[in-house]
Amino acid sequence: MTEWIQLGSLTAIPVRGARCVNTPSGKIAVFRTAEDQVYAIENRCPHKGGPLAEGIVHGTSVTCPLHNWVFDLQTGEAQGADEGSVRTYPVKVDGGVIYIAPDVLMAMAAE
């Protein structure tokens, strides 16, 4: 079994903030909620390509900084009247360190 890939410290992401992780196949936005939950989603809004890592985190959602589309960080689904979704990626926190599932990066590289 392949080990999870370390992304960095939980404290490197501000509460209700995000950091962007560059991969060979694109960018992943990693979010930290007010309750220290961590989520990872595609860093590109399907509406106009807005950088979701620069959005406002509220609860377990993020609002796109360009046109205020709201996405559920757990499911990637657009909320309210908006339609669409972003890809979500499995992450975990262990001992204050954030990890991403290795198959995520392998799958992205295969696309």
Side-chain angles (χ1 to χ4, degrees):
M1 178 177 200
T2 308
E3 292 187 28
W4 287 63
I5 298 168
Q6 182 176 330
L7 295 179
S9 170
L10 176 64
T11 58
I13 302 175
V15 174
R16 293 189 329 253
R19 291 290 183 255
C20 190
V21 176
N22 293 314
T23 74
S25 301
K27 295 181 179 184
I28 297 173
V30 182
F31 295 89
R32 178 182 179 188
T33 69
E35 293 77 28
D36 285 337
Q37 296 170 300
V38 176
Y39 299 97
I41 63 173
E42 179 180 0
N43 190 42
R44 187 175 190 282
C45 177
H47 175 228
K48 297 280 185 176
L52 295 175
E54 296 176 21
I56 296 171
V57 178
H58 44 99
T60 57
S61 299
V62 63
T63 299
C64 178
L66 294 186
H67 298 101
N68 295 324
W69 279 36
V70 178
F71 294 92
D72 184 301
L73 293 171
Q74 296 171 323
T75 66
E77 294 294 320
Q79 303 298 293
D82 299 324
E83 294 183 11
S85 64
V86 292
R87 188 177 296 178
T88 61
Y89 303 103
V91 290
K92 68 178 183 177
V93 178
D94 185 17
V97 177
I98 302 169
Y99 296 88
I100 191 165
D103 56 331
V104 168
L105 301 181
M106 288 185 261
M108 289 179 71
E111 291 178 357

